[in-house]
Amino acid sequence: MGSIATYIADKAAKKKQTPAEWMQNNLQNLERCRAVSHIARYTNPDVAVSLHDSSKPVGQGYLTTADILAEDDLVVNGGAAYMAIASFLVGKFSQKGTVAEQKADLTAKTAWQYFREDAPFIRREIESLGIAYEPLREKILEIQPQEMPQLTDTRLRQVYFPIGADDYHLLTVIPPVSMMFSLTERVEVASRLQRKCRDKKSEHYGELYCIFPDITRAAFGGSQPQNVSCRNTSLGVDILPSQPPILSGRKIRLPKRNFFFDSLYWRSFSEMLFRLDSLFRDQRHNLEMRERREDIILDFVEAVLYEANRLQALPAGWSKDTELTDEQAVWLDAAYSNQRQDDTDWIWPVCMDFARWLVNAYGWFCRIETRKEISLSDAELHSFASTMEAVLKQEVREG
């Protein structure tokens, strides 16, 4: 990742050439390059079978190389000695100015992409080296896709697929590398974005992000990864786990005095508290903002009810050894399940306990995050309680 002009200049300097000489000497190897989407070497390194999928999108929910936006790979006839120009084309380059910005750039593209898009950025970079841009681009756009192979290879896995009484298709498993690298790049971008969202100095701090746990990085080709493909040289492939997740049971934290303050840890709600705080700071007061606030409070209610339902599933009578209020005991202890349905006087006190806990959790969030706390009135307190009240009454009606 970095400047295209710097990349070419460094390569030329190592060969004691000018950038124009280095480019001209390597352009003659373009005819050895083929664009590919599937490469059999990822299954067996001794097999040269590869192809370019030029089929039309299938649609209908199928995931194919024709249905996603994926960058092709390049294979070079003759091996590493002729790969310099191909390695340049599949290398990623950023338009940012500093090295730090380039490393963190989430929008970097390959030189090949810039050429196809005829981006002003790559034109400036190439012409700054004294290289004619248009003839260079024309030659690069002439790279041919790999033709469909006429023969498979006995070292590959074969599948005989019947298509009639006396006929069959012989299918060969060839990994879709364009799809593999597309997944790898998306995981890498998500990982970099995750770091930005958790960095208090970043402009993305506090934004939502994705986490991909248990990623496996697979390297192909041993000490000569370039012999597998150009993109394989620097990337490797990220593989998502294919086994079912291992789930461990969560220990139930029994409340002693107050369910909300004893069993609910406010840090577990940090993401929702961040969204709520952002909403409080928004100066707009309209129907859309009220509906967004209602949705966030419902998210809190859903998480709270999950913990409450776990307590309701415990053997009846567990609350006798606690100092819970009568209303919370009726709500949470199976011993009072009939009373819970017949007498709903417990609902509003429980809802007010929820609202007070939420306001308290918001205060802790602001203090820990060094944010100025937005002062909440009794109106907000009763609004939070009313949202939960509607849900609990619905549960009683359906129970």
Side-chain angles (χ1 to χ4, degrees):
M1 185 102 50
S3 164
I4 289 177
T6 301
Y7 177 93
I8 295 175
D10 288 346
K11 293 291 184 181
K14 291 179 180 178
K15 296 290 186 180
K16 297 183 179 180
Q17 298 172 338
T18 66
E21 290 171 341
W22 181 87
M23 183 63 72
Q24 187 60 42
N25 289 340
N26 284 286
L27 276 179
Q28 60 187 343
N29 296 324
L30 272 180
E31 62 184 21
R32 295 176 177 270
C33 297
R34 290 293 181 269
V36 293
S37 60
H38 296 66
I39 301 177
R41 283 198 178 103
Y42 284 88
T43 299
N44 188 310
D46 296 323
V47 175
V49 174
S50 60
L51 61 93
H52 183 269
D53 179 17
S54 58
S55 59
K56 295 182 179 180
V58 177
Q60 302 177 354
Y62 291 104
L63 178 62
T64 73
T65 50
D67 286 287
I68 64 172
L69 295 175
E71 184 75 357
D72 289 330
D73 203 343
L74 287 173
V75 293
V76 180
N77 181 26
Y82 306 99
M83 196 169 286
I85 188 66
S87 296
F88 160 64
L89 291 176
V90 300
K92 282 209 165 185
F93 299 94
S94 168
Q95 300 187 48
K96 303 294 184 180
T98 67
V99 174
E101 289 175 330
Q102 291 169 357
K103 289 182 178 180
D105 188 9
L106 303 178
T107 61
K109 299 179 181 180
T110 65
W112 201 7
Q113 286 175 290
Y114 287 127
F115 276 118
R116 290 201 302 270
E117 296 170 3
D118 196 15
F121 163 67
I122 197 168
R123 178 186 291 270
R124 291 194 303 269
E125 293 283 292
I126 295 298
E127 291 180 346
S128 71
L129 297 171
I131 301 173
Y133 172 76
E134 287 296 347
L136 173 61
R137 180 172 182 264
E138 289 178 6
K139 291 182 180 179
I140 289 173
L141 296 184
E142 291 174 357
I143 293 177
Q144 297 297 309
Q146 180 67 54
E147 298 177 353
M148 187 70 68
Q150 299 300 311
L151 297 174
T152 183
D153 191 296
T154 58
R155 290 166 292 191
L156 295 175
R157 297 178 179 89
Q158 313 293 325
V159 178
Y160 293 87
F161 190 84
I163 57 174
D166 300 313
D167 206 356
Y168 63 87
H169 283 318
L170 178 59
L171 306 179
T172 299
V173 178
I174 306 181
V177 294
S178 57
M179 194 180 296
M180 290 160 55
F181 284 118
S182 178
L183 169 64
T184 299
E185 289 171 353
R186 293 188 186 192
V187 170
E188 291 298 308
V189 168
S191 297
R192 294 202 298 274
L193 182 59
Q194 173 194 341
R195 291 192 289 271
K196 287 175 175 287
C197 293
R198 299 174 67 175
D199 182 0
K200 292 186 177 181
K201 298 180 180 180
S202 170
E203 61 181 4
H204 296 281
Y205 175 66
E207 295 180 5
L208 299 180
Y209 58 84
C210 297
I211 296 177
F212 295 91
D214 303 324
I215 295 293
T216 298
R217 171 59 64 91
F220 296 89
S223 62
Q224 297 180 317
Q226 70 278 1
N227 289 340
V228 178
S229 78
C230 285
R231 299 183 76 189
N232 182 66
T233 303
S234 57
L235 286 179
V237 174
D238 282 341
I239 300 174
L240 298 176
S242 58
Q243 297 295 325
I246 300 175
L247 303 178
S248 58
R250 293 176 57 190
K251 185 178 180 180
I252 297 178
R253 187 177 179 181
L254 294 178
K256 295 298 182 182
R257 294 182 177 83
N258 187 302
F259 160 71
F260 296 97
F261 289 90
D262 294 346
S263 298
L264 304 176
Y265 185 39
W266 72 267
R267 283 188 180 275
S268 302
F269 299 83
S270 294
E271 181 181 317
M272 285 185 275
L273 289 167
F274 177 86
R275 290 161 50 203
L276 188 63
D277 178 63
S278 299
L279 200 65
F280 287 157
R281 297 180 191 282
D282 197 307
Q283 299 300 313
R284 293 172 295 172
H285 300 284
N286 52 34
L287 178 60
E288 178 187 354
M289 302 305 291
R290 291 195 294 274
E291 290 178 345
R292 285 177 59 189
R293 187 180 72 171
E294 184 75 4
D295 289 340
I296 295 173
I297 302 304
L298 285 172
D299 288 341
F300 279 101
V301 171
E302 181 180 358
V304 168
L305 292 183
Y306 172 79
E307 295 297 332
N309 291 337
R310 297 174 72 210
L311 292 174
Q312 291 168 356
L314 294 177
W318 64 265
S319 65
K320 291 181 179 179
D321 297 327
T322 70
E323 299 177 23
L324 291 178
T325 62
D326 292 341
E327 292 83 5
Q328 288 194 18
V330 169
W331 178 40
L332 299 171
D333 194 334
Y336 305 102
S337 57
N338 291 333
Q339 182 179 344
R340 190 188 309 152
Q341 296 292 324
D342 298 337
D343 182 3
T344 58
D345 289 345
W346 59 270
I347 292 182
W348 183 249
V350 165
C351 294
M352 285 300 294
D353 288 341
F354 161 72
R356 283 187 283 268
W357 166 82
L358 180 53
V359 171
N360 186 273
Y362 172 67
W364 275 106
F365 169 80
C366 290
R367 285 190 286 277
I368 296 299
E369 296 292 330
T370 62
R371 293 168 174 259
K372 183 179 179 181
E373 182 178 351
I374 303 298
S375 179
L376 302 177
S377 66
D378 289 343
E380 279 85 9
L381 194 73
H382 283 78
S383 176
F384 300 158
S386 296
T387 299
M388 187 172 189
E389 181 187 31
V391 176
L392 289 181
K393 285 185 175 180
Q394 180 70 21
E395 278 198 342
V396 170
R397 286 193 297 269
E398 296 176 353

